């Protein structure tokens, strides 16, 4: 691959300004591009570049930041990097270090950093949309909202514990009852988020598995979808043995398509039998199954598209036509007939597995923290705990701590410590 036309070198930290000045001879006006002849320490010219100066803390990293927009040749970049390395206190950034600093300096939270990582890795439209939501603070704002609700509940519990008449047990019971209900409402909101598809599904791609009996035309179909000779096609039954996987984006949705060994009970040699086991495992793990066989033999799968393949071979045959009438798609990978309809069916089914527009998905780490918070908020109303304000308040605190882990902020935890510092011991 040829080097990019422009190569950007970014410098972050307290020495960024001095380094820029050393190479360009001056510090340009903040946040304005200007042209500068960069020179090394001996005065030798390095490149005529566009330079930018962003004084901290209002920068992406929260520190002083300088940028050199160089001609992108490897020789240019190497010479500028060598000149920078010769300056005191400068070193090459670790992978992800700029984002890490943005986090440590409070410019972004953990969920936003995770979103940025996904955004950098995004290859398809749905991946980009999903990652940008998280990088832009969609998840963080939801967490803030939940934490505000938790705090309000805690304040109510605290008021009751501190100011209620010691003898007025009924008042305390009523407060505990209301609190338990409010916690259940919040728990239901968290559950709704947990019911959404996981962000990993979008990042890693949905698994679409092609399965069916030998010679059904599975390999021919995956080759037509991938538009290349990925799998061997032959009239010999049992040609495909391994699972053959290829990434493919349909309408901007990342998917992984797999071709599998033809399923048959008898007549398979030992190697083919292993392939059939693998095919069955792939079918079980599939997000979407494309079944190229008699509809009555289709595996039990929640998202199965029944396909009548090789239509150019059997059109007019009564038995085949009857089977095809029970299928979702009739196609021929050889002639291309029905391929559009298959594409539409797959995308339609895939969309049921993706978050709806404007709904951010959560990563596994975030889901685990959210599930923990939900569990702290879920109380059996018949239990003794349900009537105990102290125990309920403690559950609220634990839920808030779990939510804190999503954004990586201890802010709420500190506020709660202050709040709880005012509780009397043993009350
Ligand atoms: N040349 C260049 N392009 C880039 C970046 C970069 O650092 N340099 N970015 C790499 O991240 C992204 C843009 N993200 C940025 C995020 C924050 C700020 C920033 O300076 N924020 C300040 C001021 C905001 C303003 O002026 O409105 C702030 O938030 O306080 C800059 C870029 C993508 N494109
Ligand atoms: N005319 C026609 N022939 C097809 C079509 N699809 C597949 N074939 C032929 O059918 C034979 C079997 O196709 P494959 O794609 O190898 O079938 P498979 O399901 O992968 O078979 P196994 O891997 O052995 O399970 C080959 O000779 C293909 O050329 C089609 O749509 N039309
Ligand atoms: K075959
Ligand atoms: Mg095959």
């Amino acid at each position: 691959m040829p080097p990019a036309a422009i190569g950007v070198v970014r410098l972050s930290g307290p020495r960024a300004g001095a380094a820029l000045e050393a190479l360009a001879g001056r510090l340009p006006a903040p946040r304005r591009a200007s042209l500068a002849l960069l020179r090394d320490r001996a005065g030798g010219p390095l490149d005529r570049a566009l330079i930018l100066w962003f004084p901290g803390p209002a920068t992406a990293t929260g520190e002083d930041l300088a940028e050199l927009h160089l001609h992108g040749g490897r020789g240019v970049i190497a010479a500028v990097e060598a000149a920078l390395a010769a300056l005191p206190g400068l070193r090459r950034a670790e992978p992800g270090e700029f984002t890490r600093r943005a986090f440590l300096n409070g410019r972004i939270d953990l969920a936003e950093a995770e979103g940025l990582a996904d955004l950098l890795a995004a290859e398809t439209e749905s991946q980009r949309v999903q990652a940008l939501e998280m990088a832009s603070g969609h998840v963080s704002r939801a967490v803030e909202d939940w934490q505000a609700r938790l705090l309000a509940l805690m304040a109510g519990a605290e008021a009751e514990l501190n100011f209620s008449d010691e003898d007025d047990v009924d008042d305390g019971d009523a407060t505990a009852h209301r609190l338990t209900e409010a916690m259940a409402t919040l728990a239901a909101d968290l559950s709704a988020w947990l019911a959404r598809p996981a962000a990993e599904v979008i990042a890693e791609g949905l698994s679409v598995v092609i399965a069916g009996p030998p010679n059904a035309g599975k390999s021919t179909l995956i080759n037509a979808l991938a538009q290349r000779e990925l799998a061997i096609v032959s009239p010999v039954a049992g040609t495909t043995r391994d699972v053959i996987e290829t990434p493919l984006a349909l309408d901007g949705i990342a998917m992984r398509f797999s071709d599998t060994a033809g399923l048959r009970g008898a007549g398979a040699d030992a190697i083919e039998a292993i392939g059939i086991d693998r095919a069955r495992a792939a079918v079980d793990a599939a997000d979407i199954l494309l079944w190229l066989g008699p509809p009555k033999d289709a595996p039990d799968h929640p998202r199965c598209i029944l396909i009548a393949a090789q239509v150019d071979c059997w059109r007019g045959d009564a038995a085949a036509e009857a089977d095809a009438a029970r299928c979702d798609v009739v196609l021929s990978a050889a002639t291309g007939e029905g391929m559009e309809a298959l594409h539409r069916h797959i995308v339609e089914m895939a969309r049921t597995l993706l978050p709806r527009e404007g709904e951010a998905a959560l990563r596994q780490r975030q889901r685990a923290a959210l599930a923990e918070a939900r569990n702290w908020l879920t109380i059996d109303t018949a239990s003794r705990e349900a009537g105990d304000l102290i125990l309920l308040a403690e559950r609220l605190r634990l839920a808030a701590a779990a939510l804190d882990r999503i954004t990586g902020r201890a802010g709420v935890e500190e506020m709660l410590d202050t709040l709880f510092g005012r509780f009397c011991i043993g009350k």
Side-chain angles (χ1 to χ4, degrees):
M1 215 165 62
I6 307 294
V8 181
V9 171
R10 295 169 81 206
L11 311 165
S12 183
R15 308 249 182 177
L20 181 58
E21 214 173 338
L23 263 66
R26 65 189 166 88
L27 215 50
R31 314 181 73 85
R32 297 229 170 267
S34 61
L35 191 61
L37 178 63
L38 306 183
R39 294 177 183 279
D40 63 19
R41 251 213 295 221
L46 292 163
D47 188 22
R48 189 174 291 279
L50 275 178
I51 58 171
L52 283 161
W53 168 233
F54 302 99
T59 62
T61 57
E63 304 167 340
D64 286 352
L65 205 99
E67 291 186 0
L68 311 172
H69 292 241
L70 308 163
H71 290 100
R74 275 189 274 272
V76 178
I77 310 257
V80 169
E81 281 182 348
L84 288 170
L87 297 173
L90 258 65
R91 63 165 173 81
R92 181 186 275 279
E94 308 287 341
E97 187 168 353
F98 280 62
T99 308
R100 176 187 284 261
R101 288 187 178 209
F103 170 68
L104 291 177
N105 293 324
R107 307 299 297 169
I108 57 172
D109 66 31
L110 208 49
E112 289 164 337
E114 284 170 316
L116 274 181
D118 285 350
L119 192 58
L120 288 172
E123 289 184 0
T124 75
E125 180 63 5
S126 67
Q127 290 171 341
R128 181 190 68 78
V129 169
Q130 170 55 37
L132 188 60
E133 291 255 7
M134 203 187 292
S136 308
H138 189 116
V139 173
S140 311
R141 282 191 298 275
V143 170
E144 269 169 33
D145 171 62
W146 296 325
Q147 281 167 332
R149 285 163 68 183
L150 280 176
L151 271 179
L153 296 181
M154 309 225 34
E158 187 216 18
E160 179 65 27
L161 284 168
N162 278 349
F163 305 118
S164 73
D165 184 342
E166 295 269 345
D167 304 322
D168 199 347
V169 179
D170 283 355
D171 259 15
D173 277 358
T175 307
H177 182 71
R178 275 201 310 278
L179 188 56
T180 311
E181 283 187 342
M183 288 165 76
T185 306
L186 185 51
D189 285 359
L190 302 192
S191 292
W193 274 68
L194 284 167
R196 293 181 184 178
E200 281 81 2
V201 170
I202 303 159
E204 288 157 20
L206 298 168
S207 145
V208 182
V209 172
I210 304 174
N215 275 350
K218 304 178 295 297
S219 299
T220 308
L221 179 59
I222 204 169
N223 289 352
L225 288 162
Q227 299 183 337
R228 65 196 174 92
E229 295 304 309
L230 185 73
I232 299 172
V233 165
S234 92
V236 178
T239 300
T240 306
R241 279 129 185 253
D242 274 320
V243 175
I244 300 175
E245 188 181 293
T246 185
L248 212 60
L250 299 189
D251 290 11
I253 304 170
M255 303 184 195
R256 292 171 288 117
F257 277 76
S258 299
D259 179 23
T260 59
L263 302 173
R264 59 171 159 180
D269 64 31
I271 299 167
E272 193 186 343
I274 296 170
I276 291 173
D277 285 345
R278 291 184 180 186
R280 293 221 163 86
V283 166
D284 287 343
D287 291 312
I288 297 175
L289 175 64
L290 307 186
W291 177 251
L292 274 69
K296 65 171 172 42
D297 296 341
D300 187 19
H301 190 280
R303 282 169 304 275
C304 177
I305 300 179
L306 298 174
I307 297 172
Q310 309 195 27
V311 58
D312 57 303
C313 299
W314 51 258
R315 180 154 279 151
D317 177 278
E321 294 279 6
D323 261 358
R326 298 172 52 209
C327 288
D328 302 301
V329 183
V330 175
L331 62 75
S332 161
T335 68
E337 177 184 348
M339 291 297 285
E340 269 292 320
L342 175 62
H343 182 121
R344 276 200 311 278
H345 257 81
I346 295 172
V347 169
E348 204 174 288
M349 204 169 263
R351 289 202 195 287
T352 69
L353 292 171
L354 298 180
R356 282 190 288 257
E357 218 173 84
E359 285 191 350
L362 299 174
R363 307 186 120 255
Q364 197 46 51
R365 187 193 73 78
Q366 302 167 335
R367 297 166 69 84
L370 198 63
E372 190 192 317
R374 180 194 51 188
N375 292 345
W376 289 124
L377 295 173
T378 307
I379 310 123
D380 178 0
T381 44
S383 69
R384 274 181 50 196
E385 220 184 334
D388 188 331
L389 272 179
I390 300 259
L391 291 180
L392 292 180
E394 175 62 8
R395 278 174 167 267
L396 290 172
R397 194 183 68 75
L398 290 165
L403 289 182
D404 267 348
R405 295 212 309 273
I406 297 179
T407 49
R409 294 269 178 259
V412 171
E413 181 72 2
E414 278 165 25
M415 287 166 78
L416 295 174
D417 281 347
T418 314
L419 192 62
F420 268 92
R422 289 188 279 143
F423 280 106
C424 317
I425 306 281
K427 196 161 189 185

